[in-house]
Amino acid sequence: MNGKWRDGAGRACAIVASVCVTAAVVATTARATTYGPPQTVATGFTDPQGVAVDGSGDVFVADRDTSTAYEITPGGPVTTIGSGFEDPVSVAADPNGNVFIGDEGTGQVDEITAGGDQSTITSASSLPYGLALDQAKDLFIADNDGDIDEVPPGGAASVVASGLTGQYGLAVDGAGDLFVSSPADQLVKIAPDGTQTAVGTGLATPYGLATDSAGDLFIVDSGHNRVVEVTPAGDQTTVASGLDFPFGVAVDAHGDLYVSEEGGKDVIEFPALHGTAKAVTTVTCAHPTATQQKKVDRGQAIGLSCTARITHPANRSAPRPSGTVSFSVTPSGDPGESLTPSSCTLPATAAGPNRCSATLMTATPDTYKVAAAYSGDQRYRQGSARTTVKVK
C-alpha cells in the first residue's frame, strides 16, 4: 500500500512499502464504561441504520427504506436534513454540526453543512456502507467493494487500504488507527503503517463501530443483540444487551452511547456514568463556528440553540435529575435579544432525558455569555460555567 495518510492528530505520514513514519506514537489506556438505563431518543423510523452525534448533542440517523436522513436535537423535534437520497445507510458528523451521508443507492457521499448547504464530496465509492471522521476532519469511507477511501477536506478520494472483504462498519481513533467490520464476523484494526490486527472475540454479524476520546472501541454485535466495548488494552465488555437488532452506534463528547435498532425502528441512548458524587451542569451553544462566532446579516436576528446537560452520577440506582433548569445570558436587554424558554423542567422518571435546550435570539453584535442553573435534587445542584458566544 503506497500513498499518504494523516493520523488522528492530523500529523502527515507517508506510506511507502507499508511503512508509515510520523513524528510521534500515541498510546492510551482506558477501562470499560458504565452506563445508566436506556432512554428512547426518537422512534418511528422504518429502517434506521447509521447513526452519528455532533458536538452539540444533535443526533443524525440514516433511514434507508424511506430514503431520508434525520436530525434529532436534544429535547427537540425530529427533522429531515438533505434531499435526493436513494438508500442512505451511513452517517458521520463533525463537532461543528457538518454531516456526511453515504448513499448505497447512488454510491455518493454528500456533505450537509451546519447551515444546510448540501454537496456531493465524492462518487468514487460504489457502496459507502461506513463513514468515519478523524481529528483532522479527513473522511474515511468503507466501500463494500473491498477498499477504504480517504477524502481530506476539499480534496479528492484516494484508496488507503484494499483487499478487504464485505466491510460495513468503520471507525477511527485518535492515533489514526482504522477499525473495519464485516457481517462475516470479521473485525480488524488497520494501523497507519498498514498492519492489520484482529479485534474482538465471540462476535456474530458485527455492524456499526465507534470510538471515544479514550480510544475505546464500541462494536454493534448484531447477532447477539448487544454492544460491546473493547479498550486499547484489549479488554472486552458487554455494555448494552437485549437490543432489538441493533445496527449503528455513536458516542458523544460526554461518553453517552447512541444505538439505532432496525428491529425497534428507533434510536436509544445509554447515558455514561462517570463516577462523580455531584453532577456537573454544562452548556453548549450550536452552531457557532469553531471560534464560536456568528455574523449578524443586515441586522437580522440569528438564533443559537443552547443546551444544558446534567451529568448523571455513577450510582445506577440513583434517580435521574428532576427539577428546574434556568437559563441566563449576559449582557441582557440588547435590542432584538431573547433567550427562550428561560427555564425548563427535567422529568422525574428514570428514563427521562437529562438535558434542556433554549434558543438565544439576537440582532445585536456583542459577546454573550450563556449559563444554566439547576434547582432540584441536591446531587445535581451544581451550576454551569458560562459559555461565551461572540456575535459580530
Side-chain angles (χ1 to χ4, degrees):
M1 178 172 65
N2 298 327
K4 294 182 178 179
W5 195 345
R6 287 187 179 269
D7 68 8
R11 296 183 300 258
C13 59
I15 304 175
V16 181
S18 297
V19 177
C20 177
V21 180
T22 63
V25 177
V26 179
T28 59
T29 58
R31 61 193 181 104
T33 310
T34 302
Y35 293 91
Q39 59 189 50
T40 299
V41 177
T43 190
F45 302 107
T46 300
D47 186 18
Q49 299 214 346
V51 62
V53 59
D54 68 10
S56 300
D58 294 344
V59 178
F60 303 90
V61 186
D63 194 8
R64 181 171 64 177
D65 283 1
T66 61
S67 303
T68 308
Y70 294 100
E71 178 180 8
I72 310 160
T73 57
V78 179
T79 57
T80 299
I81 60 170
S83 61
F85 302 117
E86 290 186 11
D87 298 294
V89 292
S90 55
V91 59
D94 70 17
N96 296 323
N98 301 306
V99 186
F100 302 83
I101 307 291
D103 192 335
E104 177 189 26
T106 63
Q108 297 180 172
V109 177
D110 282 11
E111 178 182 9
I112 304 168
T113 68
D117 297 326
Q118 181 173 345
S119 61
T120 298
I121 63 169
T122 181
S123 301
S125 302
S126 57
L127 295 171
Y129 282 168
L131 299 178
L133 284 163
D134 68 9
Q135 293 174 2
K137 298 184 181 179
D138 291 342
L139 179 68
F140 294 88
I141 305 168
D143 194 342
N144 200 246
D145 66 0
D147 294 338
I148 302 294
D149 298 330
E150 178 185 9
V151 184
S158 61
V159 176
V160 297
S162 59
L164 304 170
T165 303
Q167 63 270 29
Y168 220 106
L170 184 66
V172 60
D173 66 14
D177 298 318
L178 293 171
F179 299 87
V180 189
S181 68
S182 78
D185 307 337
Q186 299 175 5
L187 178 57
V188 297
K189 178 177 78 172
I190 306 175
D193 67 0
T195 302
Q196 295 189 16
T197 308
V199 179
T201 60
L203 304 175
T205 319
Y207 278 123
L209 303 175
T211 57
D212 65 11
S213 59
D216 294 350
L217 175 68
F218 297 85
I219 308 163
V220 171
D221 187 8
S222 295
H224 293 131
N225 288 316
R226 63 176 182 164
V227 175
V228 301
E229 179 180 11
V230 180
T231 69
D235 298 324
Q236 179 171 316
T237 306
T238 298
V239 295
S241 59
L243 303 174
D244 192 353
F245 195 63
F247 196 95
V249 63
V251 184
D252 69 13
H254 302 275
D256 296 343
L257 202 65
Y258 299 84
V259 181
S260 60
E261 295 185 300
E262 281 196 302
K265 304 184 185 305
D266 58 12
V267 174
I268 55 178
E269 176 188 3
F270 293 87
L273 308 181
H274 297 289
T276 55
K278 194 172 191 178
V280 176
T281 305
T282 57
V283 172
T284 56
C285 294
H287 299 287
T289 65
T291 56
Q292 291 195 312
Q293 297 182 355
K294 275 281 190 179
K295 184 176 181 181
V296 175
D297 186 19
R298 301 185 184 90
Q300 297 300 309
I302 63 167
L304 299 173
S305 176
C306 297
T307 299
R309 186 182 194 90
I310 301 179
T311 307
H312 192 267
N315 181 1
R316 282 180 178 269
S317 63
R320 296 188 66 79
S322 60
T324 301
V325 175
S326 300
F327 290 93
S328 62
V329 59
T330 57
S332 61
D334 281 348
E337 177 194 320
S338 65
L339 184 65
T340 55
S342 59
S343 65
C344 65
T345 302
L346 294 172
T349 60
N354 60 342
R355 56 198 178 200
C356 288
S357 295
T359 299
L360 169 65
M361 296 292 296
T362 180
T364 305
D366 208 336
T367 298
Y368 297 90
K369 295 184 177 181
V370 181
Y374 175 77
S375 59
D377 190 311
Q378 290 291 329
R379 284 169 294 193
Y380 307 93
R381 289 183 66 90
Q382 183 172 339
S384 75
R386 292 190 175 275
T387 296
T388 300
V389 182
K390 185 175 184 181
V391 178
K392 63 178 184 178

